[in-house]
Amino acid sequence: MFSWHSLQKPFFVLAPMHDVTDRAFRQLVSVIGKPDVMMTEFVSVDGLTHPHSQERLFKYYLSFDERERPLIAQIWGTDPDAFLKAARMIREAGFDGIDINMGCPDKKVVAMGAGVALANDPQRAGAIVAATKEGAGDLPVSIKTRLGFSSYDDAWIDALISFRPAALTMHARTKKELSRVPAHWDTLQDIAPRISKEHIPFIGNGDVVSYEDGIQKVASSGVDGVMVGRGILGCPWFFSSQKDQYETQDAKLSVLLSHAYLFEKYFSGLKNFSMIKKHVKGYVSGFSGAKELRAKIMNTTSAQEIEEVCRQEGYQISVLEEVKRICEQV
Ligand SMILES: Cc1cc2nc3c(=O)[nH]c(=O)nc-3n(C[C@H](O)[C@H](O)[C@H](O)COP(=O)(O)O)c2cc1C
């Protein structure tokens, strides 16, 4: 049974990122270099508990296998009863934990009173945590949030502590700041002793640009671990201990190709292939001819076409052996 407390410090968590950290990406990261914990993209408790959307959402967001463990399902919404039901479903699906999204600044989400809007409604936030814990049984229930809504909110920190989450991830910005200012790691440093005194594993999030940067941020702020989001885009070897393997352009393109085949394996008929293209710039940049190659890859409609385009341009690429095995599994 997974426990946040059993992780060796400092630990690394892959951030939930909608339409980015899907199963294909998590499998790729698991093959190349896995963090200590991964999270799914956020999924709506209303959708999960609605008979019409349930099956589709499970396939789209919540399918996984052993390779991705420990894997935490992240959920969002406003209705405690829906959280309770969704938590039961997630426990039955075999996840290692549940994370409640109380940090999303998206306009539609906030207008509903969900995501970071819950920082302005601690009573509802508390009811949501209690209901999720009830549905989760023995699964750990953690929270991911921001420093506050309009400004840093000390009462929000107190409320979060009173909810007794199994772990707390703090994106070191307010809703108002979105991602426009550098993350306030100094504020995390101020909060860390309070959270630590309560024996709640505390995870800092915001602008971690490399593994070494993560280690340094843990040391200087006193958090227990870090969560990495944008830093892994186009760089799925972020957590690998053998990053130099991925320095050549052939190696990077081979990873892109492996990613594309994984995407097809899991999402063919479910998601449009063009979704993989948001990763392309990360893999294909910083070398002569990158712009032209990128333009050609952007016009492809399948993994095989990516392979053909790269070969025609003279790159020596191949699907990673482990990914080949995954793709062959039925
Ligand atoms: C494309 C994208 C999608 C995101 N989706 C989610 C999400 O589903 N759930 C969530 O809690 N945060 C989400 N986030 C926020 C990240 O998890 C993270 O908190 C934020 O990017 C700051 O960390 P970073 O500086 O390491 O990227 C998303 C961020 C990005 C860029």
Side-chain angles (χ1 to χ4, degrees):
M1 167 77 56
F2 169 74
S3 156
W4 286 97
H5 284 280
S6 67
L7 296 174
Q8 261 201 325
K9 296 173 199 170
F11 57 83
F12 282 79
V13 184
L14 175 65
M17 284 189 283
H18 182 65
D19 281 344
V20 175
T21 54
D22 56 19
R23 187 172 179 194
F25 190 76
R26 296 193 305 264
Q27 288 276 328
L28 184 69
V29 168
S30 304
V31 168
I32 296 181
K34 212 176 154 186
D36 298 284
V37 182
M38 298 201 282
M39 289 198 185
T40 69
E41 305 152 85
F42 73 164
V43 52
S44 143
V45 291
D46 294 336
L48 276 183
T49 51
H50 197 290
H52 287 149
S53 45
Q54 207 165 64
E55 199 185 325
R56 187 180 60 82
L57 287 186
F58 252 91
K59 271 199 202 140
Y60 204 97
Y61 293 115
L62 296 181
S63 75
F64 72 99
D65 67 29
E66 295 303 306
R67 187 188 292 273
E68 295 160 62
R69 289 189 190 281
L71 182 64
I72 312 293
Q74 196 196 53
I75 49 180
W76 69 276
T78 53
D79 175 13
D81 193 47
F83 271 91
L84 188 151
K85 289 181 184 139
R88 272 196 194 128
M89 291 162 66
I90 288 167
R91 186 187 56 188
E92 278 161 24
F95 279 90
D96 296 296
I98 299 176
D99 188 75
I100 304 176
N101 180 310
M102 297 193 181
C104 180
D106 180 86
K107 267 193 198 131
K108 282 190 200 145
V109 171
V110 169
M112 286 169 63
V116 72
L118 289 164
N120 283 341
D121 191 355
Q123 206 175 342
R124 178 174 290 273
I128 285 174
V129 178
T132 308
K133 283 185 180 177
E134 192 183 330
D138 50 6
L139 283 193
V141 174
S142 53
I143 298 174
K144 177 172 182 278
T145 185
R146 288 179 177 246
L147 294 171
F149 197 87
S150 306
S151 57
Y152 169 71
D153 185 351
D154 213 42
W156 177 230
I157 310 297
D158 284 337
L160 289 162
I161 291 171
S162 74
F163 304 154
R164 307 292 321 159
L168 178 64
T169 303
M170 188 60 76
H171 178 181
R173 295 183 179 96
T174 62
K175 140 79 170 79
K176 199 172 161 194
E177 291 169 334
L178 297 171
S179 286
R180 289 185 195 128
V181 300
H184 304 290
W185 280 87
D186 48 343
T187 311
L188 295 187
Q189 186 181 354
D190 293 342
I191 306 171
R194 266 160 77 191
I195 314 284
S196 164
K197 202 172 104 218
E198 302 291 337
H199 305 290
I200 298 169
F202 189 39
I203 302 150
N205 171 234
D207 302 341
V208 175
V209 294
S210 66
Y211 191 87
E212 297 68 31
D213 182 38
I215 298 281
Q216 191 273 323
K217 282 189 159 71
V218 168
S220 62
S221 68
V223 298
D224 300 306
V226 293
M227 177 181 272
V228 178
R230 290 162 300 167
I232 199 170
L233 289 178
C235 175
W237 44 86
F238 189 101
F239 301 109
S240 169
S241 54
Q242 294 161 334
K243 287 188 192 57
D244 39 355
Q245 249 180 272
Y246 303 100
E247 266 168 14
T248 68
Q249 201 48 52
D250 284 344
K252 285 183 186 167
L253 290 172
S254 295
V255 174
L256 164 63
L257 183 65
S258 305
H259 191 169
Y261 274 112
L262 284 167
F263 186 89
E264 280 183 347
K265 174 175 172 78
Y266 295 118
F267 298 119
S268 180
L270 267 180
K271 289 189 187 184
N272 194 305
F273 186 74
S274 64
M275 286 176 74
I276 192 89
K277 297 192 183 155
K278 67 173 60 159
H279 297 272
V280 170
K281 187 148 190 230
Y283 293 115
V284 191
S285 55
F287 62 100
S288 100
K291 198 170 158 211
E292 294 74 18
L293 180 61
R294 228 167 34 229
K296 286 189 177 157
I297 292 177
M298 285 308 203
N299 282 328
T300 60
T301 56
S302 68
Q304 202 185 332
E305 279 183 34
I306 293 183
E307 190 162 2
E308 283 162 11
V309 162
C310 292
R311 292 244 163 89
Q312 277 160 13
E313 296 295 314
Y315 294 99
Q316 309 275 314
I317 62 167
S318 56
V319 180
L320 303 178
E321 284 305 318
E322 190 63 20
V323 169
K324 262 188 214 158
R325 275 193 286 278
I326 295 172
C327 290
E328 278 159 12
Q329 279 161 16
V330 274

